[in-house]
């Protein structure tokens, strides 16, 4: 049936874009369409006839009858909240009196009666086919509405016997215990949101009206004021969470023991008392989650896991830290509503607590990002070898390994830069916390830590320039990182711990700082050498290019090798158009003795003019001349 999700999802969605009046109109439309669908509406032009009441058999055949009762109850609640908000604005005292107050109480009473009817319908589970969780959710919803009605009554009799605040605290405590047990069983964030946004503020204010000490935790108050006249409900809750109603709740895994709840908190040189028990329990939960995180990261098996899996282990401590921040903020808002001035000791302690827990939350966020960046905060960067996905080839060889492409390397570097940007943004958010700017030493420490992470960011950007061969830009970024680390080291001498803190947070150890300085200094020397080589190569190439303006074509200079970095002029391979010019050839040797030497087969004859001619001794055979062909192309006619 999912009663809680149906009610609070509709409520949150409607109130996010409108007010209680628009929520009521929306519920009216849904209620009308659902009644027509279920046959519970009266057609037009027909006298109203009350339909038969909803029975458990109806719920067993169609769960939408449950939604019908929920919509009726929610519409009455929305009407009451609309009347209350509109009349509170008109009243200078902030209290609703007269007929308006009676109207509000009547709407809340109708809402609680409809939810009570739903609980009665769901009790015969064999008929309705409902689960134990459905019945508990209906009970919790009825207790929330009943507590809201008692909250609005605000009535205490003269003899003190009739007190609406006791009834309000009892109903709200029942709702809190049920939702807490459902949260323990299902781990759904929905129940946590309902507790933090609706139930817990009501319990705390009712306890304040009954003058219950603030040092008493909400869980203890809820167990103390849980109604004792409902043993069946207590048994059902105990099935989900055996420790839900136990006075001495001991933690098996992640809940805190009473002796582990701190009663004070220290911020640098100042110690503040924790007056609110809920803050102490939240801090104890953070300490427990931190111990679990450290045990997870120290495990040899987990150290071989990926960075993403190890960073996911920070989720529990981050959630606990955020809960601590929310609890502290609510405690401050309660004191502000009571009119407590800033000079009060309670307010001062809460301000110190708020600064401490917010700084701790930001530190855990930075630590998770440092895990995602990699070892040594991303000082070194190497390409990862990737294997071809697939089975063994036909030759029986395993898949070949190849180096990572430049595109993937650039993508990983962009992810690193985004993580460094998130860390720098987190450090800037610390400066905006109330009370942080007044501590000059603390601000100097933050600036030094920011310089450290800025230096690492510059070093990683320099790696991306190395891929493109832009060594001058890489050298400039490395020099900037070296100067930032130098300024950071001078400021972090008195603030940093000697060894690396584990799990990683915003703290920077001396060994991490020294490793960063050594690595960046080595990179600076290397990139200086590469830049000099690149500059010398470019100068030689330029000189070579200038010398090619009035030189022979490349075809005539095949034995000349161009210097490093020079570009061969492909447009000057040969001289075109060619020009008449002397070409060196092989020397001519004249055989002057040819005319005076008799060779076999040749005879010398003296011509009439006195010149000697050579003729063959044997007469050449006379060839018969063929008649020439007539016609074009040798074809005869």
């Amino acid at each position: 049936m999912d009663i809680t999700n149906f009610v609070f999802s509709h409520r949150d969605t409607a109130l996010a874009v409108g007010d209680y009046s628009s929520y009521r109109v929306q519920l009216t439309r849904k209620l009308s369409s659902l009644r027509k669908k279920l046959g519970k509406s009266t057609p037009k032009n027909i006298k109203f006839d009350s339909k038969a009441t909803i029975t458990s058999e109806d719920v067993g055949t169609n769960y939408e009858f449950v939604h019908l009762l929920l919509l009726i109850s929610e519409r009455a609640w929305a009407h009451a909240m609309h009347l209350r908000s509109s009349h509170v604005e008109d009243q200078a005292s902030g209290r609703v009196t007269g007929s308006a107050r009676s109207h509000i109480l009547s709407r809340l009473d109708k809402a609680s009666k409809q939810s009570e009817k739903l609980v009665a319908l769901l009790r015969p589970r064999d008929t309705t086919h409902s689960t134990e969780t459905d019945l508990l959710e209906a009970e919790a919803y009825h207790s929330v509405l009943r507590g809201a009605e008692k909250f609005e009554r605000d009535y205490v009799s003269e003899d003190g016997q009739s007190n609406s605040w006791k009834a309000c605290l009892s109903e709200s405590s029942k709702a809190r215990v049920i939702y807490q047990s459902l949260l323990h069983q299902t781990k759904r964030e929905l129940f946590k949101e309902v507790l933090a946004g609706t139930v817990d503020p009501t319990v705390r204010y009712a306890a304040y009206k009954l003058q219950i000490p603030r040092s008493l935790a909400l869980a203890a108050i809820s167990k103390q004021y849980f109604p004792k006249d409902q043993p069946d409900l207590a048994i059902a809750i105990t099935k989900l969470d055996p420790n839900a109603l136990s006075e001495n709740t001991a933690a098996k895994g992640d809940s805190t023991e009473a002796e582990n709840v701190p009663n004070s908190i220290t911020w640098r040189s100042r110690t503040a008392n924790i007056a609110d028990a809920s803050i102490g329990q939240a801090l104890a939960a953070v300490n427990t989650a931190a111990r679990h995180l450290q045990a997870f990261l120290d495990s040899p098996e987990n150290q071989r896991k990926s960075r993403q899996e190890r960073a996911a282990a920070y989720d529990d401590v981050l959630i606990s830290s955020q809960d601590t921040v929310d609890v502290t903020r609510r405690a401050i808002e309660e004191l502000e509503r009571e009119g407590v001035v800033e000079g009060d000791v309670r307010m001062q302690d809460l301000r110190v607590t708020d600064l401490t827990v917010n700084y701790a939350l930001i530190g855990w966020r930075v630590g998770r990002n440092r895990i995602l960046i990699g070892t040594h905060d991303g000082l070194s960067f190497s390409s990862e070898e990737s294997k071809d996905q697939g089975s063994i080839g036909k030759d029986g060889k395993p898949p070949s390994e190849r180096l990572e492409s430049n595109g993937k390397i650039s993508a990983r570097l962009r992810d690193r830069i985004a993580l460094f940007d998130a860390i720098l943004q987190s450090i800037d958010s610390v400066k905006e916390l109330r009370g942080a700017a007044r501590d000059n030493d603390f601000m100097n420490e933050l600036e030094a830590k920011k310089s450290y992470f800025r230096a690492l960011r510059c070093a990683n950007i320099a790696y991306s320039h190395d891929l493109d061969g832009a060594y001058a830009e890489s050298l400039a970024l490395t020099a900037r990182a070296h100067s930032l680390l130098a300024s950071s080291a001078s400021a972090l001498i008195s603030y940093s711990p000697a060894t690396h803190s584990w799990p990683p947070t915003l703290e920077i150890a001396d060994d991490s700082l020294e490793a960063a300085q050594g690595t960046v200094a080595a990179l600076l020397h290397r990139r200086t050498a590469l830049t000099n080589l690149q500059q010398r190569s470019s100068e030689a190439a330029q000189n070579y290019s200038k010398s090619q303006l009035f030189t022979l074509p490349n075809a005539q200079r095949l034995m000349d090798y161009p210097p490093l970095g020079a570009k061969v002029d492909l447009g000057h391979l040969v001289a075109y158009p060619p020009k008449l010019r002397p070409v060196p050839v092989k020397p001519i040797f004249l055989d002057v003795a040819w005319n005076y030497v008799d060779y076999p087969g040749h005879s010398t004859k003296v011509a009439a003019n006195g010149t000697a001619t050579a003729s063959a001794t044997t007469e050449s055979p006379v060839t018969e001349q063929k008649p020439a062909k007539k016609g074009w192309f040798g074809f005869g006619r």
Side-chain angles (χ1 to χ4, degrees):
M1 294 181 183
D2 205 1
I3 295 174
T4 306
N5 185 40
F6 179 82
V7 172
F8 288 96
S9 63
H10 282 76
R11 184 183 296 183
D12 295 341
T13 303
L15 296 180
V17 296
D19 54 0
Y20 294 109
S21 178
S22 61
Y23 181 40
R24 181 193 174 199
V25 173
Q26 181 180 352
L27 290 171
T28 302
R29 290 197 298 266
K30 291 184 178 180
L31 189 58
S32 176
S33 61
L34 185 58
R35 278 175 173 167
K36 291 179 181 179
K37 182 179 180 181
L38 298 176
K40 295 293 183 179
S41 62
T42 302
K44 294 181 178 180
N45 302 325
I46 296 179
K47 186 178 179 180
F48 175 75
D49 183 17
S50 60
K51 304 293 180 180
T53 58
I54 301 174
T55 61
S56 299
E57 288 77 9
D58 296 334
V59 175
T61 56
N62 193 349
Y63 283 165
E64 290 190 347
F65 284 100
V66 176
H67 298 167
L68 180 63
L69 294 175
L70 291 174
L71 290 175
I72 296 173
S73 178
E74 274 294 289
R75 186 177 66 167
W77 176 84
H79 192 190
M81 293 297 101
H82 170 63
L83 292 173
R84 184 177 181 275
S85 60
S86 59
H87 285 83
V88 165
E89 294 176 357
D90 298 336
Q91 299 289 337
S93 60
R95 294 175 59 88
V96 183
T97 58
S99 60
R101 181 172 181 271
S102 301
H103 197 182
I104 292 173
L105 293 176
S106 68
R107 295 296 89 194
L108 290 175
D109 182 68
K110 179 181 178 180
S112 62
K113 285 181 179 179
Q114 292 294 327
S115 61
E116 186 179 5
K117 185 186 298 185
L118 175 61
V119 173
L121 290 176
L122 294 180
R123 288 191 190 281
R125 295 174 52 191
D126 296 337
T127 305
T128 59
H129 307 291
S130 60
T131 62
E132 192 73 34
T133 303
D134 296 333
L135 184 58
L136 287 176
E137 289 187 21
E139 285 277 6
Y141 179 61
H142 170 62
S143 299
V144 170
L145 295 178
R146 193 68 177 170
E149 179 194 357
K150 299 300 182 183
F151 187 93
E152 292 297 332
R153 288 190 182 278
D154 191 10
Y155 173 75
V156 180
S157 62
E158 295 181 357
D159 56 357
Q161 296 298 326
S162 178
N163 191 337
S164 66
W165 290 111
K166 287 183 179 180
C168 174
L169 184 57
S170 178
E171 296 292 341
S172 300
S173 298
K174 181 172 72 172
R176 191 186 191 283
V177 171
I178 294 174
Y179 282 131
Q180 189 67 37
S181 61
L182 290 172
L183 175 62
H184 179 271
Q185 178 69 20
T186 62
K187 306 297 182 182
R188 292 181 63 183
E189 292 293 329
L190 173 64
F191 298 117
K192 182 181 292 187
E193 294 175 0
V194 173
L195 284 171
T198 304
V199 181
D200 286 353
T202 305
V203 174
R204 176 59 67 189
Y205 191 75
Y208 164 72
K209 297 295 286 187
L210 293 175
Q211 298 181 356
I212 297 176
R214 192 183 296 272
S215 59
L216 193 60
L218 290 178
I221 296 174
S222 301
K223 294 174 184 178
Q224 180 180 353
Y225 282 86
F226 185 84
K228 309 298 182 183
D229 55 349
Q230 298 182 3
D232 296 338
L233 179 61
I235 293 174
I237 293 174
T238 308
K239 290 181 180 179
L240 295 180
D241 185 6
N243 299 320
L245 297 174
S246 177
E247 295 295 336
N248 299 322
T249 303
K252 288 185 179 181
D254 52 3
S255 56
T256 56
E257 298 180 355
E259 58 269 16
N260 292 332
V261 177
N263 54 10
S264 62
I265 192 170
T266 302
W267 169 252
R268 299 176 74 83
S269 61
R270 177 170 179 176
T271 302
N273 296 323
I274 300 177
D276 199 330
S278 57
I279 299 177
Q281 287 188 340
L283 287 173
V286 172
N287 296 333
T288 303
R291 289 194 297 270
H292 291 170
L293 174 62
Q294 184 172 3
F296 177 85
L297 296 177
D298 290 340
S299 175
E301 298 179 357
N302 296 327
Q303 289 179 0
R304 291 191 293 268
K305 292 183 178 180
S306 63
R307 295 192 301 269
Q308 288 75 15
E309 292 177 344
R310 286 183 283 125
Y314 275 79
D315 291 344
D316 292 337
V317 69
L318 285 172
I319 292 173
S320 301
S321 300
Q322 185 62 55
D323 293 341
T324 308
V325 172
D326 296 338
V327 170
T328 307
R329 187 181 298 112
R330 286 197 295 269
I332 293 175
E333 291 174 354
E334 290 176 4
L335 289 184
E336 289 177 348
R337 286 196 297 267
E338 295 174 10
V340 179
V341 297
E342 290 292 334
D344 191 271
V345 177
R346 295 174 297 171
M347 184 63 77
Q348 291 292 321
D349 290 341
L350 282 177
R351 292 298 184 190
V352 174
T353 304
D354 182 60
L355 180 59
T356 306
V357 297
N358 275 282
Y359 181 75
L361 173 61
I362 294 173
W364 291 121
R365 290 175 181 171
V366 172
R368 181 184 60 181
N369 291 337
R370 293 175 72 178
I371 289 290
L372 289 173
I373 289 172
T375 56
H376 304 296
D377 293 331
L379 280 174
S380 60
F381 187 85
S382 59
S383 61
E384 298 178 352
E385 292 184 352
S386 59
K387 293 185 178 180
D388 293 335
Q389 299 296 329
S391 58
I392 298 177
K394 295 181 180 180
D395 54 355
K397 295 182 179 180
S400 60
E401 295 183 357
R402 61 178 185 271
L403 293 179
E404 193 176 13
S405 62
N406 288 345
K408 293 183 178 180
I409 294 176
S410 299
R412 292 201 292 124
L413 284 172
R414 283 194 297 268
D415 294 340
R416 275 194 180 185
I417 301 305
L419 292 172
F420 279 117
D421 291 338
I423 291 175
L424 296 176
Q425 186 178 2
S426 299
I427 295 176
D428 290 335
S429 64
V430 175
K431 300 177 182 179
E432 299 175 359
L433 296 176
R434 184 164 183 172
R438 300 176 184 176
D439 192 345
N440 294 329
D441 293 338
F442 180 59
M443 296 302 292
N444 294 333
E445 180 182 351
L446 286 179
E447 285 294 333
K449 293 178 179 179
K450 185 177 180 180
S451 299
Y452 172 78
F453 289 107
R454 285 177 61 194
L456 298 182
R457 181 178 182 272
C458 292
N460 280 269
I461 297 177
Y463 284 124
S464 63
H465 286 288
D466 285 341
L467 296 176
D468 299 333
Y471 298 117
E473 291 80 358
S474 178
L475 176 61
L477 288 167
T478 309
R480 178 60 176 166
H482 188 268
S483 62
L484 288 172
L485 285 174
S487 62
S488 175
S490 60
L492 286 177
I493 292 177
S494 58
Y495 303 117
S496 300
T499 57
H500 182 67
S501 61
W502 195 257
T505 56
L506 194 52
E507 302 300 328
I508 301 172
D510 290 339
D511 52 357
S512 299
L513 192 59
E514 292 176 359
Q517 285 181 309
T519 304
V520 171
L523 289 174
L524 183 62
H525 292 305
R526 177 178 179 273
R527 286 164 181 164
T528 301
L530 290 174
T531 304
N532 290 332
L533 287 176
Q534 190 178 41
Q535 289 179 351
R536 291 176 180 272
S537 300
S538 62
E539 291 175 359
Q542 290 177 1
N543 296 332
Y544 178 79
S545 300
K546 292 178 181 179
S547 64
Q548 301 304 305
L549 295 178
F550 304 100
T551 56
L552 297 175
N554 295 328
Q556 303 178 25
R557 295 181 293 106
L558 297 179
M559 301 304 293
D560 295 341
Y561 190 81
L564 181 64
K567 294 182 180 180
V568 178
D569 188 6
L570 300 180
H572 196 50
L573 294 176
V574 295
Y576 186 83
K579 297 180 181 180
L580 184 63
R581 60 184 180 84
V583 178
V585 295
K586 183 178 180 181
I588 300 176
F589 295 96
L590 300 177
D591 192 357
V592 295
W594 172 264
N595 297 329
Y596 303 98
V597 177
D598 292 336
Y599 294 95
H602 291 78
S603 60
T604 305
K605 294 182 180 181
V606 180
N609 54 4
T611 59
T613 59
S615 63
T617 58
T618 61
E619 297 181 355
S620 60
V622 178
T623 59
E624 183 180 359
Q625 295 183 352
K626 295 181 180 181
K629 294 182 180 181
K630 298 181 180 180
W632 291 350
F633 308 109
F635 295 101
R637 293 185 180 180

